[in-house]
Amino acid sequence: MLLRNRIAYAFLAPYLLIFATFWLWPIISSFLISFQNTRVNPWKFNPSVNWGRLVADPAFYNALYNTLIILVVQVPVMIALATIMAVLLNSPLLKARPFYRFAFFAPVVVGEVAYAAVFRLMFSIDFGIVNKLIGVAGLAPVSWFDNGTAAMALVIIAVTWRWAGYNAIIILAGLQSIPGDVYEAATLDRVSKIQQFFHITLPLLKPIILFCVVLSIIGTMQLFAEPFLITNRGGPGGATETLGLLLYRQGFTSLNFGYASAIAYTIAALAVAFSLLNLLVGREAK
């Protein structure tokens, strides 16, 4: 038995070594750096420099506010759209279902730089197709990149476009695990399709939807690509700067690694807190 354990750990050793080198040690190191003043040479242990600044930094609260706006608005809208899309993709009346499933999932595999460039072209005030359609409707064109509210709406639209299909495929897998006998019995009892959706489908999908919500919360707390690439590094005037973008700016632009580490651990703590709260609410609602 002892020999078997040694052999097993011998096979695991390469992975454990790589994990400790590239995951475990950086996590610990980043935590220790958050307590040091990295603005002096050599670095000095001074917890109040970074964590004290975090509590009083207007830029942090602006980034936190923007991140929470995206979290509160975008995540529920995306999950609702994903659920509707999953139900439609699961319908036997839909022809060429594999093609549509791939089409809805495809945005996830598109490169971030490529799709950000397309969105910038589509929402351009001068020649973007979105403003052309707004003009056809008789409305004034929207300056998507110069207005803070419009820029935030653009980020929410972009994130929803990219990840709704991904969540729809996950929810679709949950739909296909629901026994058909449940719906047959409900149909025999003359339960309408709408009632079946709200009283059978949604309750049975609840664990899957909670899983998607938790993933979306974690992703939103780390949101970086869309505000960086589409709205020009969180513009205009920081109106779309998220916590992930603030972390990048402090760590790789200002080279303030201690403060960036403090922000990183704050993001992780908030993501864990919101995820646990969501799971707790979901459990109590059973």
Side-chain angles (χ1 to χ4, degrees), residues 197-218:
F197 175 76
F198 284 103
H199 297 287
I200 297 176
T201 304
L202 283 183
L204 293 177
L205 279 179
K206 184 178 175 182
I208 307 299
I209 293 176
L210 282 176
F211 174 73
C212 291
V213 170
V214 170
L215 286 183
S216 300
I217 289 173
I218 295 171

Side-chain angles (χ1 to χ4, degrees), residues 42-263:
W43 296 354
K44 292 184 179 179
F45 181 79
N46 191 344
S48 63
V49 169
N50 300 315
W51 294 102
R53 176 182 174 182
L54 189 73
V55 175
D57 188 5
F60 169 76
Y61 287 107
N62 174 67
L64 177 61
Y65 173 79
N66 293 335
T67 304
L68 292 179
I69 287 292
I70 297 172
L71 180 67
V72 171
V73 176
Q74 186 269 332
V75 172
V77 170
M78 179 183 65
I79 296 300
L81 285 175
T83 304
I84 295 171
M85 288 161 56
V87 172
L88 295 177
L89 290 172
N90 196 47
S91 173
L93 301 176
L94 182 67
K95 305 299 182 182
R97 281 185 288 177
F99 169 77
Y100 286 106
R101 290 172 185 175
F102 170 76
F104 282 114
F105 184 80
V108 178
V109 300
V110 175
E112 293 172 340
V113 175
Y115 104 85
V118 171
F119 263 80
R120 287 188 65 86
L121 290 173
M122 289 175 58
F123 287 84
S124 170
I125 191 170
D126 298 318
F127 48 81
I129 187 173
V130 174
N131 274 325
K132 295 292 183 184
L133 294 174
I134 291 176
V136 171
L139 302 174
V142 179
S143 183
W144 295 95
F145 303 103
D146 298 324
N147 180 279
T149 303
M152 178 62 75
L154 176 54
V155 170
I156 290 173
I157 292 169
V159 175
T160 302
W161 173 84
R162 190 171 192 213
W163 293 104
Y166 174 84
N167 288 284
I169 296 301
I170 296 176
I171 296 172
L172 175 62
L175 271 175
Q176 293 177 340
S177 67
I178 299 176
D181 298 345
V182 178
Y183 294 104
E184 292 177 7
T187 302
L188 291 175
D189 289 337
R190 297 181 181 180
V191 179
S192 68
K193 294 296 183 182
I194 295 178
Q195 289 177 321
Q196 289 181 27
F197 175 76
F198 284 103
H199 297 287
I200 297 176
T201 304
L202 283 183
L204 293 177
L205 279 179
K206 184 178 175 182
I208 307 299
I209 293 176
L210 282 176
F211 174 73
C212 291
V213 170
V214 170
L215 286 183
S216 300
I217 289 173
I218 295 171
T220 301
M221 297 306 298
Q222 303 177 78
L223 187 63
F224 170 79
E226 284 76 11
F228 182 83
L229 296 171
I230 298 177
T231 58
N232 194 20
R233 304 193 178 195
T240 59
E241 183 174 61
T242 59
L243 289 173
L245 192 51
L246 178 65
L247 187 157
Y248 169 84
R249 184 161 60 83
Q250 290 295 327
F252 296 99
T253 302
S254 302
L255 300 180
N256 191 354
F257 300 113
Y259 190 43
S261 297
I263 295 171

